[in-house]
Amino acid sequence: MKYTICNEIEHALFFILDTVRSCGIGYNGTELYWIKDYNGELIDEKKIEEQRKIWRQLFLEGNPPEQCKNCHLLLNKDWKQDGKFNLIVVAHRTKCSCNCIYCNFKYKKEYWNTRETYNIMPVLEDLERRNLLTDDLHISVSGGECTEYPNNEFEDIAAFVIKKQCKMSVYSSGINFSPTLAKCLNQGLCDLVISADSGSKEVYEKIKRVKKFDNVWNNIKKYSEAAVSDGGIYGRMTVKYVIVDGLNNTQKAFYDFIKKCREAKIKHIRIAVEYNWWTAHKNEPMPPRLIKLVKYIQKFNKEFSIEPTEFGIALFKIADSQ
């Protein structure tokens, strides 16, 4: 049946902290919950379908939930109403050895690092056993630092991806090296993004607030050696540079980063702008220093695949217009 809705409502499960949601945009405040007060229980697809029918009817009537209006994820197409899931987002953990200056979890760090939660593997295995996962399944792992998940949980997730030959996106600090993740990269099953944010130890330690600079770049190099991407997403090792005003927003800081990327034979770079700074200044004229930095970054487009993302997209558009 053809109608306008999003893949997230029709086919996704977002395991966000102690909830299961159907939406990954604006994790805080979203009303589209499959389950509240969740603690790792097996998924009841019948209850989810009951809720899905309610939301689907709202879309069919032209009166979607408020947060869905004008969303860029909406698609008008012939949707397969099979109740299966093609997207699983794993963000149920918060422990991370980094203490990034821009991270929301920097507040009450001890609480977030000691917070107890559930193991996702019994849920994934149950969904697979009941044939509720599509052949084109994508798993995104982004909560906390995945390589620090207890009881081998992340290695088990990566092994599940290899066994099922599905696809996975991973966002990591790079502090720890995962052999199974490297294997996923080498088989072209994984898209790995590591936020290094700096090419110098001094700036790295100011932003990440841990003394792991050499360790991270050594691991980036090892992951890069395992990567096999020929231009596609999967099998790709990407290093992220979050622009933090006052810390790494200079040409010298970015060139130090470029040098480390060259040493590690990185070809894919992702540029973002620190969330809180952007939120506070987005309605003001962009400072000339940031426009100058973006124009400098673009000089490396021939050598690297440079992708602006999040608020970096807006900043690049502003720079291009000036």
Side-chain angles (χ1 to χ4, degrees):
M1 181 178 178
K2 190 173 183 179
Y3 50 95
T4 297
I5 204 166
C6 68
N7 183 77
E8 278 71 359
I9 288 177
E10 287 290 343
H11 297 293
L13 294 172
F14 287 72
F15 294 89
I16 310 296
L17 302 180
D18 56 355
T19 66
V20 184
R21 310 185 185 190
S22 68
C23 180
I25 295 179
Y27 288 171
N28 298 318
T30 177
E31 295 299 323
L32 300 188
Y33 294 94
W34 295 128
I35 309 170
K36 291 185 179 182
D37 300 320
Y38 180 74
N39 193 38
E41 298 84 1
L42 299 183
I43 296 300
D44 185 339
E45 74 279 12
K46 293 180 180 178
K47 287 187 177 179
I48 287 181
E49 182 59 25
E50 289 174 5
Q51 182 60 63
R52 184 184 288 120
K53 286 179 178 178
I54 294 172
W55 292 336
R56 189 186 286 150
Q57 187 60 36
L58 291 174
F59 276 93
L60 289 170
E61 294 170 354
N63 185 33
E66 188 63 31
Q67 74 177 72
C68 300
K69 293 177 180 177
N70 301 315
C71 179
H72 69 282
L73 295 177
L74 296 178
L75 291 172
N76 183 261
K77 58 176 277 187
D78 189 3
W79 291 94
K80 184 181 289 187
Q81 298 181 355
D82 58 6
K84 293 188 177 184
F85 303 101
N86 63 18
L87 174 62
I88 305 289
V89 176
V90 179
H92 64 316
R93 296 194 183 275
T94 51
K95 184 180 185 297
C96 180
S97 291
C98 269
N99 191 19
C100 300
I101 200 168
Y102 52 76
C103 180
N104 288 333
F105 292 139
K106 67 183 177 182
Y107 305 106
K108 300 182 180 179
K109 186 67 177 177
E110 183 178 356
Y111 166 77
W112 293 115
N113 272 357
T114 57
R115 174 181 168 272
E116 296 292 335
T117 188
Y118 54 90
N119 190 320
I120 196 70
M121 282 308 301
V123 181
L124 282 179
E125 291 168 346
D126 181 67
L127 291 171
E128 171 71 2
R129 185 165 48 249
R130 292 190 289 135
N131 195 31
L132 290 173
L133 300 176
T134 63
D135 292 336
D136 61 344
L137 174 68
H138 181 96
I139 297 175
S140 177
V141 185
S142 59
E145 170 48 45
C146 58
T147 60
E148 296 180 31
Y149 288 0
N151 302 317
N152 217 44
E153 183 181 13
F154 175 71
E155 295 293 316
D156 290 342
I157 294 171
F160 179 87
V161 167
I162 293 171
K163 180 184 73 171
K164 189 169 175 58
Q165 289 291 288
C166 59
K167 297 296 192 293
M168 176 170 68
S169 294
V170 175
Y171 302 87
S172 173
S173 68
I175 288 176
N176 306 301
F177 181 77
S178 164
T180 315
L181 176 55
K183 188 175 180 180
C184 286
L185 271 175
N186 195 247
Q187 292 190 17
L189 301 175
C190 180
D191 166 31
L192 172 61
V193 178
I194 291 178
S195 290
D197 304 333
S198 174
S200 76
K201 183 177 294 187
E202 179 185 5
V203 175
Y204 176 89
E205 291 179 0
K206 287 179 179 178
I207 294 175
K208 314 299 275 190
R209 300 192 292 187
V210 292
K211 298 180 182 298
K212 295 291 184 178
F213 177 80
D214 291 330
N215 194 60
V216 166
W217 278 103
N218 286 337
N219 287 336
I220 286 173
K221 185 175 181 180
K222 288 195 288 185
Y223 284 129
S224 179
E225 290 169 351
V228 295
S229 174
D230 58 359
I233 294 176
Y234 300 105
R236 176 188 295 179
M237 167 72 244
T238 299
V239 183
K240 190 173 180 180
Y241 191 90
V242 179
I243 298 172
V244 183
D245 198 48
L247 289 178
N248 67 351
N249 63 325
T250 66
Q251 292 183 22
K252 181 186 181 306
F254 188 75
Y255 187 69
D256 288 341
F257 174 76
I258 286 292
K259 288 191 292 184
K260 295 300 292 185
C261 286
R262 286 170 176 162
E263 290 174 11
K265 297 183 179 179
I266 292 297
K267 291 298 180 183
H268 300 279
I269 294 172
R270 184 172 292 181
I271 306 293
V273 181
E274 192 270 314
Y275 172 83
N276 290 321
W277 185 93
W278 182 266
T279 302
H281 295 86
K282 63 183 178 181
N283 295 320
E284 303 170 8
M286 281 294 110
R289 62 183 178 273
L290 290 187
I291 301 301
K292 186 177 180 180
L293 175 61
V294 168
K295 291 184 181 296
Y296 180 72
I297 289 172
Q298 290 176 319
K299 292 182 179 181
F300 297 93
N301 278 334
K302 291 183 179 180
E303 182 179 358
F304 299 91
S305 170
I306 297 179
E307 170 201 12
T309 186
E310 299 160 21
F311 306 111
I313 296 172
L315 181 57
F316 272 62
K317 287 181 179 178
I318 292 170
D320 289 341
S321 69
Q322 297 185 14

